[in-house]
Amino acid sequence: MSVASFPKMVDPLKMVDQRVDLQGWILLKQLDRVQDYLLDNSGAVEVKLRFDKDEMGVRFIAGVINAKVSMQCQRCLQAVEVKVNSDLSLGIVFSEDAAKNLPGYYDPLLSHESALDLWKMVEEEMILGLPIAAVHQEGECEFIAGFGDCTDETERLGEKPANPFQILQQLKDKN
Ligand SMILES: [Zn+2]
């Protein structure tokens, strides 16, 4: 895989004016936050972005993010390959009010300044695209059925599930 580096900081409005298409790869090891969810940080994310303006004059960034990452299977604790395919469609706005008026197919991207961190944006989209709990498909998992399930495990360790109301109470007590 040839990895052409993907630009990090861009001026989104300038990119829109020039109708730029960007395509490239960001190495996973360059994305700090997403690594917390992964077993290893080898590999890269493929990113394709288009900066343009629609017929209503909304400046947008549309694109796709593709990656294959390694997560821990929550049943057998071995590595499981997870594919991330995220579409993104961001409408660039300059205020919260403008964000509310965006057509529903855009997610608002609030632009306060002329610099947008594309790596951070891709990283956030990637995290949203990851499963909350990765598991192997049936037949590929090394988990031995009948050995016990999560509920048994919890009881054996003497842990009780947290009561949400207790947590609420704790939060209230702090105030
Ligand atoms: Zn598994």
Side-chain angles (χ1 to χ4, degrees):
M1 173 174 34
S2 79
V3 178
S5 66
F6 198 80
K8 181 170 162 67
M9 303 304 294
V10 300
D11 178 344
L13 300 183
K14 207 168 166 185
M15 303 287 271
V16 166
D17 283 345
Q18 297 171 353
R19 303 204 152 153
V20 175
D21 281 324
L22 281 182
Q23 185 170 354
W25 299 82
I26 305 171
L27 297 176
L28 286 176
K29 65 180 176 200
Q30 291 171 318
L31 302 177
D32 291 335
R33 276 178 53 228
V34 81
Q35 288 179 38
D36 294 346
Y37 299 84
L38 309 181
L39 269 189
D40 71 79
N41 66 359
S42 58
V45 195
E46 184 187 22
V47 187
K48 294 178 193 172
L49 295 180
R50 157 160 297 190
F51 296 76
D52 209 339
K53 203 187 268 190
D54 70 15
E55 60 270 23
M56 291 179 302
V58 178
R59 297 176 176 92
F60 67 87
I61 305 173
V64 289
I65 294 168
N66 290 308
K68 268 187 213 162
V69 298
S70 184
M71 293 179 76
Q72 189 177 44
C73 171
Q74 294 307 299
R75 273 200 301 244
C76 69
L77 306 183
Q78 302 299 308
V80 56
E81 185 181 83
V82 173
K83 282 185 191 153
V84 179
N85 299 105
S86 298
D87 293 340
L88 59 101
S89 180
L90 303 167
I92 302 173
V93 289
F94 303 95
S95 68
E96 303 277 354
D97 281 345
K100 281 176 206 146
N101 294 329
L102 269 183
Y105 44 84
Y106 287 124
D107 291 322
L109 176 73
L110 208 50
S111 174
H112 291 298
E113 45 203 296
S114 58
L116 172 66
D117 186 334
L118 289 180
W119 290 11
K120 209 169 138 189
M121 188 185 91
V122 166
E123 183 165 46
E124 276 162 19
E125 292 294 331
M126 256 199 91
I127 291 170
L128 291 175
L130 292 174
I132 292 166
V135 286
H136 286 107
Q137 294 194 329
E138 262 341 292
E140 288 171 17
C141 190
E142 290 176 38
F143 175 75
I144 303 160
F147 188 74
D149 60 28
C150 294
T151 320
D152 290 345
E153 197 71 26
T154 308
E155 280 168 6
R156 239 181 294 145
L157 291 171
E159 286 171 3
K160 290 199 179 99
N163 176 342
F165 297 104
Q166 267 172 6
I167 293 170
L168 280 177
Q169 198 53 52
Q170 285 165 9
L171 290 174
K172 277 181 198 155
D173 290 343
K174 273 184 192 167
N175 287 335

